[in-house]
Amino acid sequence: GIWAHLHLEGERTREWLRHNSGVPDIVSEALLYEETRPRCTPVGDGLLVNLRGVNLNPGANPEDMVQIRLYIDKDRVISVRRRRLMAVQDIRDQLDAGNGPRNSADFLVEVTTRLMERMGPVVGDLDDAIDDLEDRVLTRMDVSLRGELWQLRRQSIALRRYIAPQREAMARLVTERVTWIDPNVGQHLREIADRITRYVEDLDAGRERAAIVQDELTTRLSEQMNRNRPA
């Protein structure tokens, strides 16, 4: 198979996709859209797949998600990105070492797996941060904790807003019938879809816990103010 990895900003990318790639017009235009939500759409015997990964580029916020657009059929993979995505670099390194994906289906499993592997620690770190803040609220009263709680709730909401549509895209990907995805690959994709569902559930639980901790902090600060108020 052939893998073409393209940078969205380049004029040569637009020219090649529209005139030389051999893909249908609907595919080339979808790959060039400025903004896209995660999705999985069949086109003939191929798939248009838009996915997001957490932004681990230097100086970036993890919830500032990075997009990758894919067109995959039995014989080729075309990927388009605007910003660097480490999951793609992983696959490049594997191929350079002679042990990368062997076909289009393997590529699909590999890129979705790599995206999820990097998403997991970000969700886990957020959960740990809420745990830590919960303990600190119980042991000391500090108005500055309000700012930290607000930041954690904002991160949870932002991550969920970006990850939840990816759960829907992966669920669609699992149910699509294409000839080049065999049952073994389908099982791997189901496991990845299940993992995304757990991440969304973890983010929901974290957001609820942060709200409860915020209420507890507000109550304790109010009680402290009342105790300190002159009679």
Side-chain angles (χ1 to χ4, degrees):
I2 298 171
W3 175 27
H5 185 55
L6 309 170
H7 190 271
L8 183 61
E9 302 299 336
E11 186 57 36
R12 291 173 62 187
T13 293
R14 298 176 184 276
E15 286 294 317
W16 184 82
L17 280 172
R18 285 173 172 153
H19 304 298
N20 304 109
S21 64
V23 299
D25 290 347
I26 189 174
V27 170
S28 60
E29 293 309 311
L31 292 173
L32 291 169
Y33 283 157
E34 285 301 310
E35 292 296 330
T36 56
R37 284 172 58 86
R39 71 170 183 168
C40 173
T41 305
V43 180
D45 197 39
L47 292 172
L48 268 170
V49 184
N50 297 333
L51 297 172
R52 288 170 175 155
V54 291
N55 193 347
L56 299 180
N57 292 316
N61 293 319
E63 66 269 22
D64 179 18
M65 307 290 276
V66 179
Q67 295 181 357
I68 183 168
R69 303 106 180 268
L70 302 164
Y71 173 72
I72 305 180
D73 60 24
K74 182 177 181 296
D75 301 312
R76 61 188 162 182
V77 174
I78 299 174
S79 56
V80 180
R81 59 91 176 175
R82 176 174 279 115
R83 289 178 290 180
R84 182 170 176 265
L85 195 61
M86 293 183 182
V88 171
Q89 187 60 50
D90 288 343
I91 297 174
R92 278 179 167 173
D93 292 343
Q94 284 183 318
L95 290 170
D96 289 343
N99 58 359
R102 295 165 298 174
N103 52 46
S104 296
D106 281 353
F107 184 97
L108 187 56
V109 168
E110 194 65 35
V111 73
T112 51
T113 297
R114 296 288 177 169
L115 289 172
M116 294 313 101
E117 284 176 347
R118 286 190 163 86
M119 201 173 286
V122 172
V123 175
D125 287 349
L126 196 58
D127 197 51
D128 290 343
I130 294 171
D131 280 343
D132 176 64
L133 207 53
E134 193 170 23
D135 291 339
R136 287 159 61 198
V137 164
L138 295 175
T139 56
R140 69 183 178 91
M141 288 295 98
D142 190 336
V143 175
S144 68
L145 295 178
R146 281 179 170 170
E148 291 185 53
L149 269 168
W150 179 86
Q151 181 71 6
L152 287 176
R153 290 186 70 185
R154 186 191 67 80
Q155 288 179 333
S156 295
I157 291 167
L159 276 171
R160 191 198 187 284
R161 185 168 65 245
Y162 288 122
I163 292 175
Q166 188 139 306
R167 173 180 59 179
E168 297 160 15
M170 286 299 302
R172 178 77 184 271
L173 180 56
V174 167
T175 59
E176 286 301 336
R177 304 290 185 193
V178 291
T179 59
W180 45 271
I181 295 183
D182 64 35
N184 186 49
V185 168
Q187 179 59 36
H188 282 301
L189 293 173
R190 275 190 290 275
E191 291 169 3
I192 296 164
D194 289 344
R195 196 185 308 181
I196 277 205
T197 296
R198 289 196 297 273
Y199 291 160
V200 173
E201 291 170 351
D202 289 346
L203 288 169
D204 284 339
R207 185 174 55 176
E208 290 171 7
R209 285 174 52 220
I212 292 169
V213 173
Q214 192 163 29
D215 289 343
E216 176 69 17
L217 177 62
T218 299
T219 299
R220 284 172 172 262
L221 287 172
S222 178
E223 290 173 350
Q224 185 182 58
M225 287 178 61
N226 288 336
R227 285 196 303 270
N228 294 337
R229 186 174 297 159

